[in-house]
Amino acid sequence: MTKHVLLLLSGVACASALEPCRIEIVDKENGWPVPLVELRTTHEERFVSDNAGLIALEDNELLGREVFFHVKGHGYGVKKDGFGFEGVRVTPQAGGKLKIEVERTNIAKRLGRLTGAGLFAESVKLGGTAPLPETGVFGCDSVLMARHGSKLFWLWGDTTLPGYPLGVFDSTAALTDAQPIKKFEPPLAMPYEHFRDDKGKPRGVAKMQGDGPTWLGGMASVPDKDGKPQLVALYSKIKGHLDEYEVGLCRWEQKEEAFKQVRAIWKAGDEAKPKLLLRGHPFTWADPAGKKWLMFGDPFPTARCPATYEAWSDPSTWEKLEEPTAPRSAADGSEVKPHRGSVVWNPFRKRWISIFTQTFGKPSAYGEIWYAEAESPTGPWGKAVKVLTHDNYTFYNPKIHAELTPENASFIVFEGTYTAEFADKPQPTPKYNYNQILYRLDLDDPKLKGAQ
């Protein structure tokens, strides 16, 4: 090896050993760190803030010189310059610190990513310590959650693992304490206890017989005739991309730590699939006569059954509800057609409230999130206000987690699936894509007045 080559390699080693520049992304209004803000250079290098709002900039060609970063944050950004560019011009230094303030145009406040790998990857590069160990989950689809006994039971659909492009397709699950979040501002770290196989990997918990994925919906914890809570759900067997070929009922068996079939309701080749199925995010409601019902809808209730295990497991007790008319925008009176979402009773507002994704919204087809209220869970629903937007990206199946917040809190939290699916060929966001993100919505925000 020549002296020239040795010197060249030595120079590369020294350059790569430069200490990264710490870039902190913060909300200009409250100073909170902002996860999921992308900085993009003029040569298309992308950096995305982690759950602590941090980016570790360690690219040698960017350190020590003036750099322009395009800023993109799905409702967080900076003002355009005279040429229409939304960005900042900074000079990052090795071992230095920069703070970039972004203005929030969303009403909802981003708390952070709940699932996936590297939640604090940038923080660790900067010498910090991740508050939780890696879970082994790289991505997961729509969440279901129910309070079951003294724990919160969390369940997700198709789950991506690091070892191979095909992961778990019969639902993964985890437990947390009843109040796993103590502070409802970033940085966020949810302490899931995943159900794992004998090798320590997250495993499927709904291995129903038959080929293809098993998807669960309508998960709830309901008492049986002896008062014992039963964790139940509707299952679907899937072929192709989205085609159901079997639908049935299943129940969590504690000894086996898995969902097991209670009964099949419909199979391909039978007569038409029943229109009355217990899907969506259920909640309990007592009617004016005091009878308790389990209400099912996505977002607004379209079915119900008495709130007992015996009634849930007997389709003859199920009742169809008339779907309410779609809410209208408080801004312009246009119809806001819901796609998916959830409904809960809110003690602070003393109203039923809903968070839902708009069907064919703008700028994102399935990434615009709205808020509405009603005096009854069956409607009619008042005018809606958009609280969250995405730029050519999807945020579907949002669920309000009333179980997480104090009973009379003046805010709610909700999560949804952040994914490139169903958008117009977006570039997937590293680490964040196909994962769950949690938001906070302050119900006393004046910007919600149009819906209240």
Side-chain angles (χ1 to χ4, degrees), residues 142 280 298-299 338-342 355-359 369 396-398:
S142 308
D298 203 359
H339 177 242
R340 307 287 287 274
S342 64
I355 288 285
F356 60 90
T357 304
Q358 181 181 8
T359 301
I369 307 301
Y396 61 46
N397 297 352

Side-chain angles (χ1 to χ4, degrees), residues 408-421:
N408 292 312
S410 61
F411 62 91
I412 61 170
V413 293
F414 64 92
E415 72 169 280
T417 305
Y418 176 80
T419 174
E421 288 286 329

Side-chain angles (χ1 to χ4, degrees), residues 47-328:
F47 306 91
V48 184
S49 59
D50 67 7
N51 264 17
L54 294 177
I55 291 173
L57 187 70
E58 50 192 353
D59 292 48
N60 299 321
E61 76 272 20
L62 301 177
L63 297 172
R65 57 169 45 91
E66 188 175 69
V67 176
F68 183 86
F69 286 118
H70 298 272
V71 178
K72 179 180 177 182
H74 299 300
Y76 290 83
V78 298
K79 293 180 179 179
K80 294 180 180 180
D81 66 13
F83 292 99
F85 295 121
E86 296 179 66
V88 295
R89 199 181 333 219
V90 295
T91 303
Q93 301 287 352
K97 297 181 181 180
L98 292 173
K99 180 181 288 187
I100 297 176
E101 292 184 332
V102 291
E103 295 184 2
R104 176 171 49 86
T105 54
N106 288 329
I107 300 176
K109 301 171 183 176
R110 188 177 301 138
L111 296 184
R113 181 158 55 98
L114 289 167
T115 61
L119 297 174
F120 293 87
E122 303 299 303
S123 305
V124 172
K125 291 177 186 178
L126 292 164
T129 302
L132 295 171
E134 291 292 326
T135 63
V137 171
F138 270 23
C140 54
D141 205 355
S142 308
V143 73
L144 302 176
M145 191 266 270
R147 187 185 300 277
H148 186 57
S150 62
K151 297 282 189 176
L152 299 182
F153 189 101
W154 304 76
L155 184 137
W156 302 272
D158 301 343
T159 300
T160 305
L161 303 181
Y164 193 69
L166 299 178
V168 179
F169 293 94
D170 38 30
S171 301
T172 56
L175 299 175
T176 66
D177 291 336
Q179 293 183 320
I181 300 178
K182 308 303 180 186
K183 192 175 182 181
F184 294 89
E185 60 184 68
L188 176 70
M190 181 70 80
Y192 296 119
E193 300 172 25
H194 284 81
F195 292 94
R196 300 179 180 274
D197 63 18
D198 55 7
K199 296 181 180 178
K201 296 180 180 179
R203 63 169 174 85
V205 296
K207 297 180 181 292
M208 303 300 162
Q209 186 175 359
D211 295 334
T214 303
W215 294 349
L216 301 190
M219 189 178 77
S221 182
V222 291
D224 62 19
K225 60 183 179 181
D226 298 319
K228 181 180 179 180
Q230 302 289 341
L231 187 65
V232 299
L234 185 85
Y235 75 83
S236 299
K237 294 297 296 183
I238 305 296
K239 64 180 179 179
H241 189 50
L242 297 170
D243 297 326
E244 288 180 320
Y245 71 86
E246 181 177 328
V247 180
L249 303 178
C250 59
R251 179 179 64 194
W252 179 256
E253 298 296 341
Q254 187 59 46
K255 289 184 179 180
E256 300 177 60
E257 293 189 334
F259 282 94
K260 297 296 181 180
Q261 184 191 61
V262 173
R263 62 182 296 180
I265 296 175
W266 172 86
K267 295 183 179 181
D270 294 348
E271 58 185 32
K273 186 190 304 182
K275 293 183 179 180
L276 181 57
L277 292 170
L278 304 183
R279 299 189 189 271
H281 297 295
F283 59 90
T284 56
W285 173 62
D287 66 19
K291 184 174 182 177
K292 288 187 177 181
W293 297 89
L294 202 56
M295 312 287 281
F296 294 84
D298 203 359
F300 308 131
T302 56
R304 71 179 186 180
C305 71
T308 67
Y309 171 76
E310 288 73 24
W312 169 88
S313 59
D314 180 4
S316 69
T317 70
W318 302 355
E319 298 181 10
K320 182 175 177 57
L321 298 174
E322 184 178 352
E323 187 172 3
T325 57
R328 293 193 170 273

Side-chain angles (χ1 to χ4, degrees), residues 107 330 369-372 383-387 447-451:
I107 300 176
I369 307 301
W370 294 71
Y371 171 89
K383 292 182 179 180
V385 170
K386 186 190 291 191
V387 297
K447 295 177 182 176
L448 289 179
K449 285 297 183 184

